[in-house]
Every structure is written in structure tokens, then in C-alpha cells.
Coordinates of all heavy atoms in Angstrom, one line a residue:
M1372 N 35.7 145.3 117.0 CA 35.0 144.1 116.6 C 35.5 142.9 117.5 O 36.7 142.6 117.5 CB 35.2 143.8 115.1 CG 34.3 142.8 114.6 SD 34.5 142.6 112.8 CE 33.4 143.8 112.2
D1373 N 34.6 142.3 118.1 CA 35.0 141.2 119.0 C 35.2 139.9 118.3 O 34.7 139.8 117.1 CB 34.1 141.1 120.3 CG 32.7 140.8 119.9 OD1 32.3 141.1 118.7 OD2 31.9 140.4 120.8
A1374 N 35.7 138.9 119.0 CA 36.0 137.6 118.2 C 34.7 136.9 117.7 O 34.7 136.2 116.7 CB 36.7 136.7 119.2
E1375 N 33.6 137.1 118.4 CA 32.4 136.4 118.1 C 31.9 137.0 116.7 O 31.4 136.2 115.9 CB 31.3 136.6 119.1 CG 30.1 135.7 118.9 CD 29.1 135.8 120.1 OE1 29.6 135.6 121.3 OE2 28.0 136.1 119.9
Q1376 N 31.9 138.3 116.6 CA 31.4 138.9 115.3 C 32.4 138.6 114.2 O 32.0 138.3 113.0 CB 31.3 140.4 115.4 CG 30.1 140.9 116.3 CD 30.1 142.3 116.4 OE1 31.2 143.0 116.3 NE2 29.0 142.9 116.7
E1377 N 33.7 138.4 114.5 CA 34.6 138.1 113.5 C 34.4 136.6 112.9 O 34.6 136.4 111.7 CB 36.1 138.3 114.0 CG 37.2 138.0 113.0 CD 37.2 139.1 112.0 OE1 36.9 140.3 112.3 OE2 37.6 138.8 110.8
A1378 N 34.1 135.7 113.9 CA 33.8 134.4 113.4 C 32.6 134.2 112.5 O 32.6 133.3 111.7 CB 33.7 133.5 114.7
E1379 N 31.6 135.1 112.7 CA 30.4 135.0 111.9 C 30.6 135.7 110.5 O 29.7 135.5 109.6 CB 29.2 135.7 112.6 CG 28.8 134.9 113.9 CD 27.8 135.7 114.6 OE1 27.2 136.7 114.1 OE2 27.5 135.3 115.7
R1380 N 31.6 136.5 110.3 CA 31.8 137.2 109.1 C 32.2 136.2 108.0 O 33.1 135.3 108.2 CB 32.9 138.2 109.2 CG 33.2 138.9 108.0 CD 34.1 140.0 108.2 NE 33.5 141.3 108.2 CZ 33.9 142.4 108.4 NH1 35.2 142.5 108.9 NH2 33.3 143.5 108.3
P1381 N 31.6 136.1 106.8 CA 31.9 135.2 105.8 C 33.2 135.5 105.1 O 33.6 136.7 104.9 CB 30.8 135.3 104.8 CG 30.1 136.6 105.0 CD 30.4 137.0 106.4
N1382 N 34.0 134.5 104.9 CA 35.3 134.7 104.3 C 35.2 134.3 102.8 O 34.2 133.8 102.3 CB 36.4 133.9 105.0 CG 36.2 132.4 105.0 OD1 35.7 131.9 104.1 ND2 36.7 131.7 106.0
P1383 N 36.3 134.6 102.0 CA 36.2 134.2 100.5 C 35.9 132.7 100.3 O 35.3 132.4 99.3 CB 37.6 134.6 100.0 CG 38.1 135.7 100.9 CD 37.5 135.3 102.3
G1384 N 36.4 131.8 101.2 CA 36.0 130.4 101.1 C 34.5 130.1 101.1 O 34.0 129.3 100.3
H1385 N 33.8 130.9 102.0 CA 32.4 130.7 102.0 C 31.7 131.2 100.8 O 30.8 130.5 100.3 CB 31.8 131.5 103.2 CG 32.3 131.0 104.5 ND1 32.7 131.8 105.6 CD2 32.4 129.7 105.0 CE1 33.0 131.1 106.6 NE2 32.8 129.8 106.3
W1386 N 32.2 132.3 100.2 CA 31.5 132.7 99.0 C 31.8 131.8 97.8 O 31.0 131.7 96.9 CB 32.0 134.2 98.7 CG 31.3 135.2 99.7 CD1 32.0 135.8 100.6 CD2 30.0 135.5 99.8 NE1 31.1 136.6 101.3 CE2 29.9 136.4 100.8 CE3 28.9 135.1 99.1 CZ2 28.6 136.9 101.2 CZ3 27.6 135.6 99.5 CH2 27.5 136.5 100.6
W1387 N 33.0 131.3 97.9 CA 33.4 130.3 96.8 C 32.4 129.1 96.8 O 31.9 128.6 95.8 CB 34.8 129.8 96.9 CG 35.2 128.9 95.9 CD1 35.7 129.2 94.6 CD2 35.2 127.5 95.9 NE1 35.9 128.0 93.9 CE2 35.7 126.9 94.7 CE3 35.0 126.5 97.0 CZ2 35.8 125.6 94.4 CZ3 35.1 125.1 96.7 CH2 35.5 124.7 95.5
L1388 N 32.2 128.6 98.0 CA 31.2 127.4 98.2 C 29.8 127.8 97.8 O 29.2 127.0 97.1 CB 31.2 127.0 99.7 CG 30.3 125.8 100.0 CD1 30.8 124.6 99.2 CD2 30.4 125.6 101.5
V1389 N 29.4 129.0 98.1 CA 28.1 129.4 97.6 C 28.0 129.5 96.1 O 27.0 129.1 95.5 CB 27.7 130.8 98.3 CG1 26.5 131.4 97.7 CG2 27.5 130.7 99.8
S1390 N 29.1 130.0 95.5 CA 29.1 130.1 94.1 C 29.1 128.7 93.5 O 28.3 128.5 92.4 CB 30.4 130.8 93.6 OG 30.4 132.1 94.1
V1391 N 29.8 127.8 93.9 CA 29.8 126.5 93.4 C 28.4 125.8 93.6 O 27.9 125.2 92.7 CB 30.9 125.5 94.1 CG1 30.8 124.1 93.7 CG2 32.3 126.1 93.7
L1392 N 27.8 125.9 94.7 CA 26.4 125.4 94.9 C 25.5 126.0 94.0 O 24.5 125.3 93.5 CB 26.1 125.6 96.3 CG 26.8 124.7 97.4 CD1 26.4 125.1 98.8 CD2 26.6 123.2 97.1
C1393 N 25.6 127.3 93.7 CA 24.6 128.0 92.7 C 24.9 127.4 91.4 O 23.9 127.2 90.6 CB 24.9 129.5 92.8 SG 24.2 130.3 94.3
L1394 N 26.1 127.2 91.0 CA 26.4 126.6 89.7 C 25.8 125.2 89.5 O 25.2 124.9 88.5 CB 27.9 126.7 89.4 CG 28.4 126.0 88.1 CD1 27.8 126.9 87.0 CD2 29.9 126.0 88.0
V1395 N 26.0 124.4 90.6 CA 25.5 123.1 90.5 C 24.0 123.1 90.5 O 23.4 122.3 89.7 CB 25.9 122.2 91.8 CG1 25.2 121.0 91.9 CG2 27.5 122.0 91.7
N1396 N 23.4 124.0 91.2 CA 21.9 124.1 91.1 C 21.5 124.5 89.7 O 20.5 124.0 89.1 CB 21.4 125.1 92.2 CG 19.9 125.1 92.3 OD1 19.3 124.0 92.0 ND2 19.4 126.1 92.7
A1397 N 22.1 125.4 89.1 CA 21.8 125.8 87.7 C 21.9 124.7 86.7 O 21.1 124.5 85.9 CB 22.7 127.0 87.3
V1398 N 23.0 123.9 86.8 CA 23.2 122.8 85.9 C 22.1 121.8 86.1 O 21.6 121.3 85.1 CB 24.6 122.2 86.1 CG1 24.7 120.9 85.4 CG2 25.7 123.2 85.7
A1399 N 21.8 121.5 87.3 CA 20.6 120.5 87.6 C 19.3 121.1 87.0 O 18.6 120.3 86.5 CB 20.5 120.3 89.1
F1400 N 19.1 122.4 87.2 CA 17.9 122.9 86.7 C 17.8 122.8 85.1 O 16.8 122.4 84.5 CB 17.7 124.4 87.1 CG 16.5 125.0 86.5 CD1 15.2 124.7 87.0 CD2 16.6 125.9 85.4 CE1 14.1 125.4 86.5 CE2 15.5 126.5 84.9 CZ 14.2 126.2 85.4
I1401 N 18.9 123.2 84.5 CA 19.0 123.1 83.0 C 18.8 121.6 82.5 O 18.1 121.4 81.5 CB 20.4 123.7 82.5 CG1 20.4 125.2 82.8 CG2 20.6 123.3 81.1 CD1 21.7 125.9 82.5
D1402 N 19.4 120.7 83.2 CA 19.3 119.3 82.9 C 17.8 118.8 83.0 O 17.3 118.2 82.1 CB 20.1 118.5 83.9 CG 20.0 117.0 83.6 OD1 20.1 116.6 82.4 OD2 19.8 116.2 84.5
R1403 N 17.1 119.2 84.0 CA 15.7 118.9 84.1 C 14.8 119.7 83.1 O 13.8 119.1 82.7 CB 15.2 119.2 85.5 CG 15.9 118.4 86.5 CD 14.9 117.6 87.3 NE 15.6 116.7 88.2 CZ 15.1 116.4 89.4 NH1 14.0 116.8 89.7 NH2 15.8 115.6 90.1
A1404 N 15.3 120.9 82.7 CA 14.5 121.7 81.8 C 14.7 121.2 80.3 O 13.9 121.3 79.4 CB 14.8 123.1 81.9
A1405 N 15.8 120.6 80.1 CA 16.2 120.1 78.7 C 15.5 118.8 78.4 O 15.2 118.6 77.2 CB 17.7 120.0 78.6
L1406 N 15.2 118.0 79.3 CA 14.6 116.7 79.0 C 13.2 116.9 78.3 O 12.9 116.2 77.3 CB 14.5 115.8 80.3 CG 14.0 114.4 80.0 CD1 14.9 113.7 79.0 CD2 13.9 113.7 81.4
P1407 N 12.3 117.7 78.8 CA 11.0 117.9 78.1 C 11.1 118.4 76.6 O 10.3 118.1 75.8 CB 10.3 119.0 78.9 CG 11.0 118.9 80.3 CD 12.4 118.5 80.0
L1408 N 12.2 119.1 76.3 CA 12.4 119.4 74.9 C 12.7 118.2 74.0 O 12.5 118.2 72.9 CB 13.6 120.4 74.8 CG 13.4 121.7 75.5 CD1 14.7 122.6 75.4 CD2 12.3 122.5 74.9
L1409 N 13.2 117.1 74.6 CA 13.6 115.9 73.8 C 12.5 114.9 73.8 O 12.6 113.8 73.2 CB 14.8 115.3 74.4 CG 16.1 116.2 74.4 CD1 17.2 115.6 75.2 CD2 16.5 116.5 73.0
V1410 N 11.4 115.1 74.6 CA 10.3 114.1 74.7 C 9.7 113.8 73.3 O 9.6 112.6 72.9 CB 9.2 114.5 75.6 CG1 8.0 113.7 75.5 CG2 9.8 114.5 77.0
Q1411 N 9.4 114.8 72.5 CA 8.7 114.5 71.2 C 9.6 113.7 70.2 O 9.2 112.7 69.6 CB 8.2 115.8 70.6 CG 7.0 116.4 71.3 CD 5.9 115.4 71.5 OE1 5.5 114.6 70.6 NE2 5.3 115.6 72.7
P1412 N 10.9 114.1 70.1 CA 11.8 113.3 69.2 C 12.0 111.9 69.7 O 12.0 111.0 68.9 CB 13.1 114.1 69.1 CG 12.7 115.4 69.6 CD 11.5 115.4 70.5
I1413 N 12.1 111.7 71.0 CA 12.3 110.4 71.5 C 11.1 109.5 71.3 O 11.1 108.4 70.9 CB 12.7 110.4 73.0 CG1 14.1 111.0 73.2 CG2 12.7 109.0 73.7 CD1 14.4 111.3 74.6
K1414 N 9.9 110.1 71.6 CA 8.6 109.4 71.4 C 8.4 108.9 69.9 O 8.0 107.8 69.6 CB 7.4 110.3 71.7 CG 6.8 109.9 73.1 CD 5.7 110.8 73.4 CE 4.8 111.3 72.4 NZ 3.7 112.2 72.8
R1415 N 8.8 109.9 69.0 CA 8.7 109.6 67.6 C 9.7 108.5 67.2 O 9.3 107.6 66.4 CB 8.9 110.9 66.8 CG 8.6 110.8 65.4 CD 8.7 112.1 64.6 NE 10.0 112.8 64.9 CZ 10.0 114.0 65.5 NH1 8.9 114.6 66.0 NH2 11.1 114.5 65.8
D1416 N 10.9 108.5 67.7 CA 11.9 107.5 67.2 C 11.5 106.2 67.8 O 11.7 105.2 67.2 CB 13.2 107.9 67.8 CG 13.8 109.1 66.9 OD1 13.3 109.4 65.9 OD2 14.8 109.6 67.4
L1417 N 11.1 106.1 69.0 CA 10.8 104.8 69.7 C 9.3 104.3 69.5 O 9.0 103.2 69.8 CB 11.0 104.9 71.2 CG 12.4 105.2 71.7 CD1 12.5 105.3 73.2 CD2 13.4 104.2 71.2
Q1418 N 8.5 105.3 68.9 CA 7.1 104.9 68.6 C 6.4 104.4 69.9 O 5.8 103.4 69.9 CB 7.0 104.0 67.5 CG 7.6 104.5 66.2 CD 7.6 103.4 65.1 OE1 7.2 102.2 65.3 NE2 7.9 103.9 63.9
I1419 N 6.4 105.2 71.0 CA 5.8 104.9 72.2 C 4.7 106.0 72.5 O 4.8 107.1 72.0 CB 6.8 104.7 73.4 CG1 7.6 106.0 73.6 CG2 7.7 103.6 73.1 CD1 8.5 105.9 74.7
S1420 N 3.8 105.6 73.4 CA 2.7 106.5 73.9 C 3.2 107.5 74.9 O 4.4 107.3 75.4 CB 1.6 105.7 74.4 OG 1.9 105.1 75.6
D1421 N 2.4 108.4 75.2 CA 2.7 109.5 76.3 C 2.8 108.8 77.6 O 3.7 109.1 78.4 CB 1.6 110.5 76.4 CG 1.6 111.5 75.2 OD1 2.6 111.5 74.6 OD2 0.5 112.1 74.9
T1422 N 2.0 107.8 77.9 CA 2.1 107.1 79.2 C 3.4 106.4 79.3 O 4.0 106.4 80.4 CB 0.9 106.1 79.3 OG1 -0.3 106.8 79.1 CG2 0.9 105.4 80.7
L1423 N 3.8 105.6 78.3 CA 5.0 104.9 78.4 C 6.2 105.8 78.4 O 7.2 105.6 79.2 CB 5.2 104.0 77.1 CG 6.2 102.9 77.2 CD1 6.0 102.0 78.4 CD2 6.1 102.0 76.0
M1424 N 6.1 106.9 77.8 CA 7.2 107.9 77.9 C 7.4 108.5 79.3 O 8.4 108.6 79.8 CB 7.0 109.1 76.9 CG 8.1 110.0 76.7 SD 9.5 109.2 76.0 CE 10.7 110.4 76.3
S1425 N 6.2 108.8 80.0 CA 6.3 109.3 81.3 C 6.8 108.2 82.2 O 7.5 108.5 83.1 CB 4.8 109.7 81.8 OG 4.0 108.7 81.9
F1426 N 6.5 107.0 82.1 CA 7.1 105.9 82.9 C 8.6 105.8 82.6 O 9.3 105.6 83.5 CB 6.4 104.6 82.5 CG 5.1 104.4 83.1 CD1 4.1 103.7 82.4 CD2 4.8 104.8 84.4 CE1 2.8 103.6 82.9 CE2 3.5 104.6 84.9 CZ 2.5 104.0 84.2
L1427 N 9.0 106.0 81.4 CA 10.4 105.9 81.1 C 11.2 107.0 81.7 O 12.2 106.8 82.4 CB 10.6 106.0 79.6 CG 12.0 105.9 79.0 CD1 12.6 104.6 79.3 CD2 12.0 106.1 77.5
I1428 N 10.7 108.2 81.7 CA 11.3 109.4 82.3 C 11.4 109.3 83.8 O 12.3 109.5 84.4 CB 10.7 110.7 81.8 CG1 10.9 111.0 80.4 CG2 11.2 111.9 82.7 CD1 10.2 112.2 79.8
G1429 N 10.2 108.9 84.4 CA 10.0 108.8 85.9 C 11.0 107.7 86.4 O 11.7 107.9 87.3
A1430 N 11.0 106.6 85.7 CA 11.9 105.4 86.1 C 13.4 105.8 86.0 O 14.2 105.5 86.9 CB 11.6 104.2 85.3
A1431 N 13.7 106.6 85.0 CA 15.1 107.0 84.9 C 15.6 107.9 86.1 O 16.6 107.6 86.6 CB 15.3 107.8 83.6
F1432 N 14.8 108.9 86.5 CA 15.1 109.6 87.7 C 15.1 108.9 88.9 O 16.0 108.9 89.8 CB 14.2 110.9 87.8 CG 14.6 112.0 86.9 CD1 13.8 112.4 85.8 CD2 15.8 112.7 87.1 CE1 14.2 113.4 84.9 CE2 16.2 113.7 86.3 CZ 15.4 114.1 85.1
I1433 N 14.0 108.1 89.1 CA 13.9 107.3 90.3 C 15.0 106.3 90.5 O 15.6 106.2 91.6 CB 12.5 106.6 90.4 CG1 11.4 107.7 90.6 CG2 12.5 105.6 91.6 CD1 10.0 107.1 90.4
I1434 N 15.3 105.5 89.6 CA 16.4 104.5 89.7 C 17.7 105.2 89.8 O 18.5 104.7 90.7 CB 16.3 103.6 88.4 CG1 15.1 102.8 88.4 CG2 17.6 102.7 88.3 CD1 14.9 102.0 87.1
T1435 N 18.0 106.2 89.1 CA 19.3 106.9 89.3 C 19.5 107.4 90.7 O 20.5 107.2 91.3 CB 19.4 108.1 88.3 OG1 19.2 107.6 86.9 CG2 20.7 108.8 88.4
Y1436 N 18.5 108.1 91.2 CA 18.6 108.7 92.6 C 18.6 107.6 93.6 O 19.3 107.7 94.6 CB 17.6 109.8 92.8 CG 17.9 111.0 92.2 CD1 17.1 111.5 91.1 CD2 19.0 111.9 92.6 CE1 17.5 112.7 90.5 CE2 19.3 113.0 92.0 CZ 18.5 113.4 90.9 OH 18.9 114.6 90.3
A1437 N 17.8 106.5 93.5 CA 17.7 105.5 94.5 C 19.1 104.7 94.5 O 19.6 104.5 95.6 CB 16.5 104.6 94.2
V1438 N 19.6 104.3 93.4 CA 20.8 103.5 93.4 C 22.0 104.4 93.7 O 22.8 104.1 94.5 CB 21.0 102.9 92.0 CG1 22.4 102.2 91.8 CG2 19.9 101.8 91.7
G1439 N 22.0 105.6 93.1 CA 23.1 106.6 93.4 C 23.1 106.9 94.8 O 24.2 107.0 95.5
G1440 N 22.0 107.3 95.4 CA 21.9 107.7 96.8 C 22.3 106.6 97.8 O 23.1 106.8 98.7
W1441 N 22.0 105.4 97.5 CA 22.3 104.2 98.3 C 23.8 104.0 98.2 O 24.5 103.9 99.3 CB 21.6 103.0 97.9 CG 22.1 101.7 98.6 CD1 21.7 101.3 99.9 CD2 23.0 100.8 98.1 NE1 22.3 100.2 100.2 CE2 23.0 99.8 99.1 CE3 23.6 100.6 96.9 CZ2 24.0 98.7 99.0 CZ3 24.5 99.5 96.8 CH2 24.6 98.6 97.8
F1442 N 24.4 104.0 97.0 CA 25.8 103.8 96.8 C 26.7 104.9 97.4 O 27.6 104.6 98.2 CB 26.1 103.6 95.3 CG 27.5 103.3 95.0 CD1 28.0 102.1 95.3 CD2 28.3 104.3 94.4 CE1 29.3 101.8 95.1 CE2 29.6 104.0 94.0 CZ 30.1 102.7 94.4
V1443 N 26.3 106.1 97.2 CA 27.1 107.2 97.8 C 27.0 107.2 99.2 O 27.9 107.5 100.0 CB 26.7 108.5 97.1 CG1 27.4 109.7 97.8 CG2 27.1 108.5 95.6
G1444 N 25.8 107.0 99.7 CA 25.6 106.9 101.2 C 26.5 105.8 101.9 O 27.1 106.0 103.0
M1445 N 26.6 104.7 101.2 CA 27.4 103.6 101.7 C 28.9 104.0 101.7 O 29.6 103.8 102.7 CB 27.3 102.4 100.8 CG 28.0 101.1 101.3 SD 27.9 99.8 100.2 CE 28.7 100.4 98.7
L1446 N 29.3 104.7 100.6 CA 30.7 105.2 100.5 C 31.0 106.2 101.6 O 32.1 106.2 102.2 CB 31.0 105.8 99.2 CG 31.1 104.7 98.0 CD1 31.2 105.5 96.7 CD2 32.1 103.8 98.2
V1447 N 30.1 107.2 101.9 CA 30.3 108.2 102.8 C 30.5 107.6 104.2 O 31.2 108.1 105.1 CB 29.2 109.2 102.7 CG1 29.2 110.2 103.9 CG2 29.3 110.0 101.5
D1448 N 29.7 106.5 104.5 CA 29.8 105.9 105.8 C 31.1 105.2 106.0 O 31.6 105.0 107.1 CB 28.7 104.9 106.0 CG 27.3 105.5 106.2 OD1 27.3 106.7 106.6 OD2 26.3 104.8 106.0
R1449 N 31.8 104.8 104.9 CA 33.1 104.0 105.1 C 34.4 104.8 104.8 O 35.4 104.4 105.3 CB 33.0 102.8 104.1 CG 31.9 101.9 104.5 CD 31.8 100.7 103.6 NE 30.7 99.9 103.9 CZ 30.5 98.8 103.4 NH1 31.2 98.3 102.5 NH2 29.4 98.0 103.8
F1450 N 34.3 105.8 104.0 CA 35.5 106.5 103.6 C 35.4 108.0 103.9 O 34.3 108.5 104.0 CB 35.8 106.3 102.1 CG 35.9 104.9 101.7 CD1 34.9 104.2 101.1 CD2 37.1 104.2 102.0 CE1 35.0 102.9 100.6 CE2 37.3 102.8 101.6 CZ 36.2 102.2 101.0
P1451 N 36.5 108.7 104.0 CA 36.5 110.2 104.2 C 35.9 110.9 103.0 O 36.0 110.5 101.8 CB 38.0 110.5 104.3 CG 38.7 109.3 104.5 CD 37.9 108.2 104.0
R1452 N 35.2 111.9 103.3 CA 34.5 112.7 102.2 C 35.4 113.2 101.2 O 35.1 113.3 100.0 CB 33.6 113.8 102.9 CG 32.4 113.2 103.5 CD 31.5 114.3 104.0 NE 30.4 113.8 104.8 CZ 29.8 114.3 105.7 NH1 30.2 115.5 106.1 NH2 28.8 113.7 106.4
R1453 N 36.5 113.7 101.7 CA 37.5 114.4 100.7 C 37.9 113.3 99.7 O 38.1 113.6 98.5 CB 38.7 114.9 101.5 CG 39.8 115.5 100.6 CD 40.8 116.1 101.5 NE 40.2 117.3 102.0 CZ 40.9 118.3 102.5 NH1 42.2 118.2 102.6 NH2 40.4 119.4 103.0
R1454 N 38.1 112.1 100.0 CA 38.6 111.1 99.1 C 37.4 110.7 98.1 O 37.6 110.5 97.0 CB 39.0 109.8 99.9 CG 39.4 108.7 99.0 CD 39.5 107.5 99.9 NE 40.7 106.8 99.9 CZ 41.0 105.8 100.6 NH1 40.2 105.3 101.4 NH2 42.1 105.2 100.5
I1455 N 36.2 110.7 98.6 CA 35.0 110.5 97.7 C 34.8 111.5 96.7 O 34.6 111.3 95.6 CB 33.7 110.2 98.6 CG1 33.9 109.0 99.4 CG2 32.5 110.2 97.7 CD1 32.8 108.8 100.5
R1456 N 34.9 112.8 97.2 CA 34.8 113.9 96.2 C 35.9 113.9 95.1 O 35.7 114.2 94.0 CB 34.9 115.2 97.0 CG 33.6 115.6 97.7 CD 33.6 117.0 98.2 NE 34.7 117.2 99.0 CZ 34.7 117.6 100.3 NH1 33.6 117.6 100.9 NH2 35.8 117.8 100.9
G1457 N 37.1 113.6 95.6 CA 38.2 113.5 94.7 C 38.0 112.5 93.6 O 38.3 112.7 92.5
N1458 N 37.6 111.3 94.1 CA 37.4 110.2 93.1 C 36.2 110.5 92.2 O 36.2 110.0 91.1 CB 37.2 108.9 93.9 CG 38.5 108.4 94.5 OD1 39.6 108.7 94.1 ND2 38.4 107.6 95.6
A1459 N 35.2 111.2 92.7 CA 34.1 111.5 91.9 C 34.4 112.5 90.8 O 33.8 112.4 89.7 CB 32.9 112.0 92.8
A1460 N 35.4 113.3 91.0 CA 35.8 114.3 90.0 C 36.7 113.8 88.9 O 36.9 114.4 87.9 CB 36.4 115.5 90.7
Q1461 N 37.3 112.6 89.2 CA 38.4 112.1 88.3 C 37.8 111.7 87.0 O 38.4 112.1 85.9 CB 39.1 110.9 88.9 CG 40.1 111.3 90.0 CD 40.8 110.1 90.6 OE1 40.4 109.0 90.4 NE2 41.8 110.4 91.5
P1462 N 36.6 111.0 86.9 CA 36.1 110.7 85.5 C 35.8 111.9 84.7 O 36.1 112.0 83.5 CB 34.9 109.9 85.7 CG 35.0 109.4 87.2 CD 35.9 110.3 87.9
S1463 N 35.3 112.9 85.3 CA 34.9 114.1 84.7 C 36.2 114.9 84.2 O 36.3 115.3 83.0 CB 34.1 115.1 85.6 OG 33.9 116.4 84.9
S1464 N 37.2 114.9 84.9 CA 38.5 115.5 84.6 C 39.2 114.7 83.4 O 39.7 115.3 82.5 CB 39.5 115.5 85.8 OG 38.9 116.3 86.8
A1465 N 39.0 113.4 83.5 CA 39.7 112.6 82.5 C 38.9 112.8 81.1 O 39.6 112.9 80.1 CB 39.6 111.1 82.8
C1466 N 37.7 112.9 81.2 CA 36.9 113.2 79.9 C 37.3 114.6 79.4 O 37.4 114.7 78.2 CB 35.4 113.1 80.1 SG 34.8 111.5 80.4
A1467 N 37.5 115.5 80.2 CA 37.7 116.9 79.7 C 39.2 117.0 79.2 O 39.4 117.6 78.2 CB 37.7 117.9 80.9
R1468 N 40.1 116.2 79.7 CA 41.5 116.1 79.1 C 41.5 115.4 77.8 O 42.3 115.8 76.9 CB 42.4 115.4 80.1 CG 42.9 116.2 81.2 CD 44.0 115.4 82.0 NE 43.3 114.2 82.4 CZ 43.4 113.7 83.6 NH1 44.3 114.3 84.4 NH2 42.9 112.6 83.9
R1469 N 40.7 114.3 77.6 CA 40.7 113.6 76.3 C 40.1 114.3 75.2 O 40.4 114.1 74.1 CB 40.1 112.3 76.6 CG 40.8 111.3 77.3 CD 40.2 110.0 77.3 NE 41.0 109.0 77.9 CZ 40.7 107.8 78.2 NH1 39.5 107.4 77.9 NH2 41.5 106.9 78.8
R1470 N 39.1 115.1 75.5 CA 38.3 115.8 74.4 C 39.2 116.8 73.7 O 39.7 117.7 74.3 CB 37.2 116.4 75.0 CG 36.2 117.0 73.9 CD 35.0 117.5 74.6 NE 34.1 118.1 73.5 CZ 33.2 118.9 73.8 NH1 32.9 119.3 74.9 NH2 32.5 119.3 72.7
P1471 N 39.3 116.7 72.4 CA 40.2 117.7 71.6 C 39.5 119.0 71.6 O 38.2 119.1 71.6 CB 40.3 117.1 70.3 CG 39.2 116.1 70.1 CD 38.8 115.7 71.5
A1472 N 40.2 120.0 71.5 CA 39.7 121.4 71.5 C 39.1 121.6 70.1 O 39.6 121.2 69.1 CB 40.8 122.4 71.8
R1473 N 37.9 122.3 70.1 CA 37.3 122.7 68.9 C 37.9 123.9 68.2 O 38.3 124.8 69.0 CB 35.8 123.0 69.1 CG 35.0 121.7 69.5 CD 33.6 122.1 69.5 NE 32.8 120.9 70.0 CZ 31.5 120.9 70.2 NH1 30.8 122.0 70.0 NH2 30.9 119.8 70.6
R1474 N 38.0 123.9 67.0 CA 38.5 125.2 66.3 C 37.6 125.6 65.3 O 36.8 125.1 64.7 CB 39.9 124.8 65.7 CG 40.8 124.4 66.8 CD 42.2 124.1 66.1 NE 43.0 123.6 67.2 CZ 44.3 123.9 67.3 NH1 44.9 124.5 66.4 NH2 45.0 123.4 68.3

């Protein structure tokens, strides 16, 4: 096997990355699929119409991605990616440490 074929062969790090990306995609899909299940209870509690509910859901996604995309893009332009990923994982890790175990 020559060096060119060896360089193209995936190593365990590549498969780990593929697994993480698949997991993130699954979580995003579940998140988007769960929201429609909550529409009727939210509508009933807030006493709003279908149109207003669709504006509420649409605005939530649009504002989140627009503001988040701009902010993260600005950070990536100024700081190393490794530092940004590490800082992004800290709040999640802190919440996981604080939460008591269920018994």
C-alpha cells in the first residue's frame, strides 16, 4: 500500500467525528420534531391564534439563528476555534455537574 492510499484511509478520529456529527444532527432533528407536539398546549395557555403561533415559532428560529450566527461568526474571525469550542462546552458541562442524580 503506498503513502497516498494510506493517507485516504479513515482513522478512528475520523469515525469519532462522524459519530459526533450524527449525534448532533439527531438532537437537532428531535428538537425540531418536538416543537410541533407542544403547539396546542402553548396555544391554549396563551390563547392565541394559529397565525400568531406560526409567527412566534418562526421568529424564534429566525432570531436565534440570525443573532447566534452573527455572534459566533464574529468570534471565529477573532479567536482560535479550539478556544471557542471549549468555551461553548463549559455552560453545558457546568449544568451537568450541578444537576443532582435521579434515584
